Amino acid sequence: MRQILYISTAAPSADIDVAAILAQSMRNNRREGVTGLLWTDERRFLQVLEGQDAAVQGVLDRIRRDPRHRAIVVLHDRTVAAREFGAWEMSRRGPNDDADAFDARMTQHLAAASSTVRGTFEGLIAARRAA
Ligand SMILES: Cc1cc2nc3c(=O)[nH]c(=O)nc-3n(C[C@H](O)[C@H](O)[C@H](O)COP(=O)(O)O)c2cc1C
């Protein structure tokens, strides 16, 4: 099972519609057996993708060509014995969420993740909170 973790930045001119990205991703990823987690504050994206090698590559190739974001940096690309994110999930802090509720939800999503993946998400979340 291949697992990729990347970070990217929303294109300055892009009108980011997170719900639209989520709908597209759910539809395609289900079809292709790709699972993962997408975190965004609508300025940065941090995403894990996992599944069969070719399926993950196909999704990543599409994502790389997407003009809604730029500066895509793959933080790791590795083989995992089993999925760490069994269900496709997307997390963002909605207008009605308080920071603690949001963080609690992220902690749940990350429960089965390896410490590196968890640490990366937690680092970004902490940076966001400190900003
Ligand atoms: C931050 C970000 C994450 C994305 N994640 C996924 C994804 O996990 N799966 C996916 O199929 N498309 C994802 N997309 C959308 C793709 O870039 C692309 O627009 C989409 O796959 C095209 O699908 P369609 O041909 O079915 O419309 C993402 C886009 C952005 C900006």
Side-chain angles (χ1 to χ4, degrees):
M1 188 79 43
R2 184 174 178 191
Q3 185 189 69
I4 284 178
L5 174 67
Y6 78 83
I7 191 165
S8 67
T9 305
S13 55
D15 186 10
I16 299 295
D17 180 347
V18 174
I21 293 175
L22 178 60
Q24 251 177 343
S25 303
M26 300 231 318
R27 190 182 58 235
N28 293 335
N29 294 4
R30 271 206 194 112
R31 187 185 61 221
E32 291 162 36
V34 170
T35 52
L37 178 65
L38 174 60
W39 179 90
T40 184
D41 59 4
E42 297 181 30
R43 206 164 69 83
R44 291 267 161 68
F45 297 103
L46 184 63
Q47 186 171 27
V48 180
L49 295 166
E50 57 189 13
Q52 294 304 316
D53 191 338
V56 170
Q57 189 62 52
V59 173
L60 185 67
D61 289 347
R62 279 206 307 274
I63 292 174
R64 274 189 187 283
R65 290 194 298 267
D66 196 316
R68 289 174 288 189
H69 63 167
R70 59 187 180 84
I72 298 159
V73 177
V74 173
L75 301 176
H76 81 226
D77 182 349
R78 62 176 183 172
T79 301
V80 288
R83 289 179 196 269
E84 293 179 357
F85 299 88
W88 170 258
E89 287 285 359
M90 162 110 177
S91 257
R92 70 170 159 152
R93 192 171 155 198
N96 302 318
D97 284 348
D98 68 49
D100 291 342
F102 178 67
D103 287 355
R105 221 162 60 227
M106 280 305 289
T107 304
Q108 248 176 16
H109 293 325
L110 292 166
S114 65
S115 57
T116 352
V117 172
R118 202 166 52 238
T120 306
F121 275 92
E122 285 171 355
L124 191 65
I125 292 163
R128 167 82 186 138
R129 292 192 89 174

